Amino acid sequence: MSAFVYFYIGYPLVRTDVTILITLYAIGFASFFGLIQLKKTNFLFLAGIAIAFRLVFLGSIPNLSQDFYRFIWDGRMLVEGWNPYLYLPNDLMAAGTAPIAEAQELFNGMGNLSASHYTNYPPINQLCFAIAGLFAGKSILGSVVVLRVLIILADIGTLYFGKKLLERLGLSVHNIWWYILNPFIIIELTGNLHFEGVMIFFVVWSLYLLHKGSWIWAAVVLALSVSVKLIPLIFLPIFFQWFTKHKASELSQKTWPTIWKGTLKLLAFYGIVIITIVVLFLPFLSNQFIENYQETVELWFQNFEFNASFYYIARWIGYETIGWNLIKDIGRVTPIIVLVFVAGISLFRNNKDFQKTITALLFGLSFYFFTTTTMHPWYLATLLILSVFTKYRFTVVWSFMIIFSYTAYQNAGYAEILYFVALEYVVVYGFLIYELFFRNTKKVKIQTA
């Protein structure tokens, strides 16, 4: 059943066939749970079948996302010696100066929204695109296959280091299947070619190295993850207690020597991360690059909106009270609120144990996604992998419910159905509240009885 689901979604499915998509997704999830229950002790079998499911998509052109056209465009620009951060596809096509093969097909495929904005994909991501441009510079399908192989290899790396980290933490190795076998991960990353999978590989590898005590290499690898997607930058403050072994509320004359020594090591960790990122960006740096990149990031926070949670409530309040969309004001305030929240859990929550540190990473990023103006489905992949190393499973519930965000594409145009967005978040928040406040209480009552 799983193989059929992946084949149908990968090949004949059209994005506007939302009812078929949701039905197939539900079947895929049922099969996913069945596989875990029946074969959870057979690691090699599940690893093999996880790879086989990904290979089903190998020759398919993504039909649920068009982002890959921009990936191929950027990669071919790089191979031709052009800096992709400095040129808009719209301008190059209007001037007839696009220096790449199949420029018109790629331009048509990426759509006006992507073509009218500067690229925001960091350098390691661009390297992946360039590899596709190098090996398949004149074939869109060939480029797709190369990109897909890179993502599959990254998932295999995540399986390897995720298993080793679970063993080091004394957790069940079976937990890794909540990520590796999850239909959401297989469809969104391998199927739709989203590079969160490569970023996650570096994040898990970095966490494994950090737990081993190899903090210098952990910093380098974490910088690689940031150079695929910027999102791991939000994790940096949360490592405070892992290095210092104390909460801010425990500061005293006795603890200062330990905290001071740990803080110096933490600052060195930060320094290595930042220096590595800067070195990776160096080939592209210029005043125009900085201006273009800043413009793109600001647009992301202040112009784009999709599948949001609390932001949609704030937007509705703005319409009701003032009469217009407050996205620009909310987009300016949200990063500050997220920073305050992350700083709070970094300093005052007990994160001295490594599993608690990962739990803090999970909730710090969750808070950002709960307050963001744009929550594309593939963003959830990072939360899902972090939850594997914790006791929380609301991310698994979310990985099913987020399929309802695709109802926005059920017509040829784009129009979100807010009832489905509300359904998604009501279920997710409901399960999260259960895990936070009721699950442990229920266990205690059962044990007492």
Side-chain angles (χ1 to χ4, degrees), residues 243-442:
F243 281 91
T244 65
K245 305 303 179 187
H246 289 88
K247 296 188 292 181
S249 58
E250 295 173 346
L251 296 179
S252 68
Q253 191 172 359
K254 292 182 179 180
T255 61
W256 267 117
T258 305
I259 293 174
W260 178 244
K261 183 179 179 181
T263 301
L264 288 177
K265 188 182 289 187
L266 177 65
L267 291 175
F269 180 82
Y270 289 163
I272 294 169
V273 171
I274 293 169
I275 290 170
T276 305
I277 293 170
V278 171
V279 168
L280 292 170
F281 270 102
L282 274 179
F284 305 100
L285 282 182
S286 68
N287 290 334
Q288 188 63 43
F289 160 79
I290 294 172
E291 182 180 330
N292 293 348
Y293 208 81
Q294 182 179 356
E295 176 187 323
T296 302
V297 172
E298 287 178 355
L299 281 170
W300 193 256
F301 282 101
Q302 299 177 21
N303 286 70
F304 302 148
E305 50 187 16
F306 178 78
N307 193 41
S309 171
F310 288 110
Y311 161 69
Y312 279 171
I313 297 173
R315 184 183 68 176
W316 175 79
I317 293 172
Y319 279 128
E320 292 296 315
T321 57
I322 302 176
W324 62 78
N325 193 339
L326 294 174
I327 186 170
K328 292 189 180 297
D329 298 310
I330 295 170
R332 294 188 191 101
V333 173
T334 298
I336 299 172
I337 296 173
V338 172
L339 183 61
V340 170
F341 179 85
V342 170
I345 63 173
S346 302
L347 296 174
F348 300 107
R349 183 185 181 276
N350 182 2
N351 304 322
K352 290 179 285 186
D353 173 82
F354 200 72
Q355 189 177 0
K356 291 179 179 177
T357 298
I358 296 178
T359 302
L361 299 178
L362 172 66
F363 281 104
L365 187 58
S366 294
F367 185 82
Y368 168 63
F369 287 154
F370 290 154
T371 56
T372 188
T373 62
T374 305
M375 182 59 196
H376 288 302
W378 51 94
Y379 296 176
L380 180 59
T382 311
L383 291 186
L384 191 59
I385 191 62
L386 290 174
S387 69
V388 162
F389 307 104
T390 75
K391 64 181 180 180
Y392 295 99
R393 295 292 176 264
F394 71 93
T395 57
V396 178
V397 174
W398 199 355
S399 69
F400 175 74
M401 295 304 300
I402 205 161
I403 193 64
F404 289 102
S405 65
Y406 277 99
T407 56
Y409 304 105
Q410 66 179 349
N411 298 312
Y414 160 81
E416 280 192 281
I417 302 175
L418 295 183
Y419 292 112
F420 284 112
V421 176
L423 173 64
E424 172 190 342
Y425 284 105
V426 165
V427 173
V428 171
Y429 287 146
F431 194 83
L432 176 58
I433 290 169
Y434 162 73
E435 288 200 296
L436 287 173
F437 300 108
F438 298 104
R439 182 176 61 181
N440 292 335
T441 303
K442 185 177 180 181

Side-chain angles (χ1 to χ4, degrees), residues 200-222:
I200 285 167
F201 161 64
F202 287 124
V203 167
V204 174
W205 186 10
S206 178
L207 291 174
Y208 169 72
L209 290 170
L210 193 59
H211 191 264
K212 275 183 60 178
S214 304
W215 60 271
I216 294 175
W217 284 111
V220 173
V221 175
L222 186 63

Side-chain angles (χ1 to χ4, degrees), residues 117-131:
H117 293 99
Y118 292 101
T119 188
N120 66 342
Y121 302 110
I124 296 297
N125 214 350
Q126 294 287 350
L127 175 62
C128 295
F129 305 159
I131 291 172

